[in-house]
DNA sequence: ATGTAAAACGGACGTTCGTTCTATTTTCGC
DNA sequence: GCGAAAATAGAACGAACGTCCGTTTTACAT
């Protein structure tokens, strides 16, 4: 398979806000008071995009529904045809971005076999997904800590799941003798930290003129350097 | 110098909440209505620790001053002898944690010369500082985005400053021919991402039984692997 | 043109917020 | 042990919140 561009990856996996909102409307049939699915998707998209815009600037708790009504173009009362409550709006966004990442990662890795290719593909898929849905992932990261314990547990599980994908790839590579004996969970954690930096510090990377594909190469090189070197005895003590 | 333990590092650089609050009381003399410096420090420490506890659990905006009064043991009116407003309380914490990191990093690196030692020392100092003031740094990271533009610019500058420290060390190593030709700013960003993961995902690391010193060794090894390998031509393309 | 159901509107309600104010208690030099 | 000064507690205030609901507008079938 060719190296995917951001655009082709986004199109193939339906990683735009409208597609996600269409899925939400479909899954929540009955909970939304507006009958026409097309119009409902339009309005929900405007509501969620406005939410991400406002909440990512000033925080979800500080965002008021009056601002959201103004920003989304709907009225205060109109919002309640789409959401049950303000809190439910946050849960909605978070649960769908979590399951989207899981879906895309599984799909992207489906027919890749060698550990070397799986590592590069997983890194690239993670970065392209979070780049396409940048605001969604930023929201998830920043607001997940404030969820009620049930939803929070779900968010932690999703996070752990995506880290496990990397840990499993690393263990596969180790069993093939390709990588050194470093703890796979810890290595996966380091890789995840570098991946999350992409959407958490988007502004910085934009200033440097680094695009997502170049960053994917950088992280892949870093991961392989880390894993290749981990067989040697690296004594890192002072003086 | 010996390898510092968390305890000795904390003691040497005064990295406990009370020490920081004592500095705040001293610097804000006049803005605090309570005369006795000792009592004022006690109460401010309780206010700030309660703030960190509540805000890190549910978000600063969602924390109410009535909760803060209950949690800190003061009354609603009593809080206003120490803070001018709720927003000022957030700015206070953030500005002092920023300047503390800068102070400690400068002090820890003061008489270290070789790039190899400076890198290991900087990583260790960063991790030990954020470990000692874990809640402070978590608060800074999570709430910095919601600041007014003036304070926000200051927070971004502090973040950039600490990244520059690493970039400068890398450039020094490159000029000594020790490291490959990788972009120093990008490498510094990757290192920073791994360092911040320590206090952002504290729960995960705790479960793994990884302590801060072991994590410092891991990150140092990862950084050196990354920098050593960056001279080679690593072609990371698919198929 | 007219009638009807769907959708959007926006003001009102009760609550709770940050902040202020004052009555009361505590502290401390003498 | 007394009185002035400092500190506290918690009621009170206006503003703003999330939510609800009666009304108006829109869109389409007849």
């Amino acid at each position: 398979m060719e190296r995917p561009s951001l655009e082709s990856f986004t199109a193939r996996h339906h990683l735009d806000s409208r597609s996600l909102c269409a899925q939400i409307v479909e899954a929540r049939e009955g909970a939304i008071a507006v009958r026409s699915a097309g119009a409902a998707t339009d309005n929900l998209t405007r509501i969620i995009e406005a939410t991400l815009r406002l909440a990512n600037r000033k925080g979800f708790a500080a965002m008021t529904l009056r601002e959201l009504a103004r920003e989304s173009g709907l009225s205060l009362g109109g919002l309640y045809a789409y959401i049950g409550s303000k809190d439910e709006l946050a849960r909605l966004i978070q649960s769908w971005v979590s399951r989207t990442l899981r879906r895309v990662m599984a799909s992207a890795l489906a027919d890749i076999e060698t550990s070397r290719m799986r590592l590069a593909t997983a890194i690239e898929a993670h970065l392209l997904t979070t780049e396409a849905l940048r605001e969604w992932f930023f929201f998830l990261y920043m607001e997940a800590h404030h969820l009620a314990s049930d939803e929070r547990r779900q968010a932690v599980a999703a996070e752990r799941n995506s880290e496990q994908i990397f840990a499993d790839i690393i263990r596969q590579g180790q069993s093939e003798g390709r990588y050194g004996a470093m703890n796979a969970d810890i290595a996966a954690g380091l890789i995840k930290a570098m991946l999350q930096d992409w959407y958490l510090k988007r502004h910085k990377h934009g200033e440097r003129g680094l695009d997502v594909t170049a960053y994917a190469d950088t992280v892949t090189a870093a991961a392989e350097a880390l894993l290749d070197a981990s067989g040697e005895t690296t004594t890192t003590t002072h003086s």
Side-chain angles (χ1 to χ4, degrees), chain A:
Chain A
M1 194 185 306
E2 276 185 28
R3 184 87 184 274
S5 70
L6 175 60
E7 290 74 22
S8 67
F9 191 87
T10 300
R12 175 164 0 116
H13 296 285
H14 308 291
L15 298 178
D16 57 293
S17 290
R18 230 198 98 95
S19 296
L20 256 70
C21 289
Q23 292 173 45
I24 297 175
V25 168
E26 191 179 2
R28 283 165 52 77
E29 199 223 323
I32 290 180
V34 175
R35 293 292 209 279
S36 154
T41 301
D42 283 347
N43 281 334
L44 187 64
T45 304
R46 282 158 63 199
I47 292 171
I48 288 186
E49 286 185 340
T51 301
L52 295 174
R53 211 155 38 234
L54 291 170
N56 287 348
R57 189 184 319 140
K58 51 160 54 188
F60 183 76
M63 175 194 82
T64 74
L65 292 188
R66 285 164 182 78
E67 289 176 305
L68 180 57
R70 201 180 324 119
E71 183 85 6
S72 67
L74 274 80
S75 70
L76 202 42
L79 294 177
Y80 279 84
Y82 297 91
I83 61 169
S85 70
K86 190 190 180 190
D87 283 344
E88 196 205 79
L89 174 59
R91 286 196 297 269
L92 220 105
I93 297 173
Q94 291 174 338
S95 74
W96 279 90
V97 66
S98 294
R99 79 181 67 180
T100 298
L101 181 62
R102 197 171 339 203
R103 167 175 67 78
V104 174
M105 292 295 286
S107 166
L109 287 169
D111 50 2
I112 314 285
E113 299 199 346
T114 73
S115 63
R116 184 186 185 79
M117 282 265 273
R118 284 180 72 82
L119 182 63
T121 304
I123 288 171
E124 187 176 68
H126 196 288
L127 287 171
L128 289 173
T129 304
T130 56
E131 171 68 7
L133 296 172
R134 223 186 290 131
E135 297 87 355
W136 293 65
F137 279 93
F138 189 88
F139 182 86
L140 174 65
Y141 195 96
M142 285 302 180
E143 306 293 343
H145 298 277
H146 312 144
L147 290 169
S149 61
D150 283 355
E151 287 82 14
R152 192 183 159 153
R153 212 169 319 119
Q154 184 193 330
V156 171
E159 162 90 14
R160 200 169 306 233
N161 171 272
S162 89
E163 212 165 299
Q164 269 303 312
I165 291 175
F166 287 96
D168 288 341
I169 292 172
I170 292 167
R171 274 187 279 266
Q172 181 191 345
Q174 287 172 331
S175 74
E176 291 171 0
R178 189 189 306 282
Y179 300 141
M182 182 184 190
N183 181 309
D185 291 314
I186 292 173
L190 294 179
I191 293 170
K192 192 83 199 293
M194 295 189 280
L195 295 177
Q196 289 183 325
D197 203 56
W198 177 257
Y199 62 88
L200 292 174
K201 310 259 183 69
R202 163 171 73 100
H203 188 258
K204 180 183 77 180
H205 294 117
E207 279 179 358
R208 287 190 184 143
L210 196 62
D211 80 337
V212 64
T213 306
Y215 190 72
D217 290 342
T218 303
V219 173
T220 301
E224 290 190 343
L226 166 65
L227 292 165
D228 287 340
S230 64
E232 309 159 20
T233 50
T234 49
T235 50
T236 316
T237 52
H238 292 215
S239 74

